[in-house]
Amino acid sequence: MKKPNLLLPLWLGGGALLLCSTTMSATPDPKRVVGIYDAVGMHRGTLEVSLAGSRMRVELRGGASTSASAPIAGDCEAVAEGMFEAGVLKAHLIPFEGEVMSLDSSELARMRTDVIVRFSGGVADVEGSFSHCGLGSALHGKYKKTSAKKPAERP
């Protein structure tokens, strides 16, 4: 993302005005994107963002239609870790044991594992193939930040 240039006035002695150009960063701080996000649109789901050392971790849950009141076969989970730079997390799915499913390293070896999350203004836009999810399930899409609380630690 291109950073905007700002002109800032600098008053010099004798009433002279000098305009100085500076670059202002619009890139979110990794600590500011940590939190819990809810899916926006036709599918229900949550996105939990946390820091894992020098890396960022995302956990996605849900994916079924908003008309479903309880977990159904369309529900899915995914956990990915990667590097956060310039407001974008470039991550890969990692093995996990979730509430409704799990993935091990042998399953991950047979699928695309790329996950891209773009953060801007309290919204996260998630992209990924999520081929392990069932039909009617969608983890990709927009998520709006609902809590700045850090997600609960998982064993």
Side-chain angles (χ1 to χ4, degrees):
M1 175 168 26
K2 188 174 180 179
K3 297 176 183 174
N5 282 328
L6 299 177
L7 292 176
L8 299 176
L10 178 62
W11 293 100
L12 301 175
L17 174 67
L18 175 67
L19 293 177
C20 297
S21 176
T22 185
T23 301
M24 186 173 177
S25 175
T27 303
D29 176 358
K31 292 177 185 169
R32 300 192 109 206
V33 300
V34 167
I36 300 170
Y37 297 69
D38 287 334
V40 176
M42 297 297 295
H43 292 87
R44 62 184 173 80
T46 59
L47 165 68
E48 294 183 6
V49 181
S50 59
L51 296 177
S54 64
R55 300 170 62 82
M56 185 172 280
R57 179 184 183 107
V58 292
E59 297 183 32
L60 294 130
R61 288 180 195 80
S65 169
T66 54
S67 62
S69 60
I72 60 170
D75 282 348
C76 188
E77 293 178 281
V79 178
E81 286 187 2
M83 299 306 292
F84 180 80
E85 184 177 326
V88 178
L89 170 64
K90 294 180 181 179
H92 294 281
L93 295 175
I94 61 171
F96 71 94
E97 288 192 34
E99 296 171 12
V100 296
M101 67 181 312
S102 62
L103 280 177
D104 63 31
S105 56
S106 65
E107 292 168 309
L108 289 170
R110 297 187 301 265
M111 66 177 76
R112 279 191 53 210
T113 63
D114 297 341
V115 177
I116 305 291
V117 185
R118 290 178 175 79
F119 296 92
S120 179
V123 174
D125 191 1
V126 177
E127 298 174 24
S129 68
F130 305 113
S131 60
H132 64 285
C133 296
L135 293 175
S137 181
L139 293 177
H140 63 281
K142 294 198 181 303
Y143 292 76
K144 184 172 180 167
K145 191 171 189 178
T146 56
S147 173
K149 291 189 336 184
K150 292 182 181 178
E153 290 295 318
R154 297 189 180 275

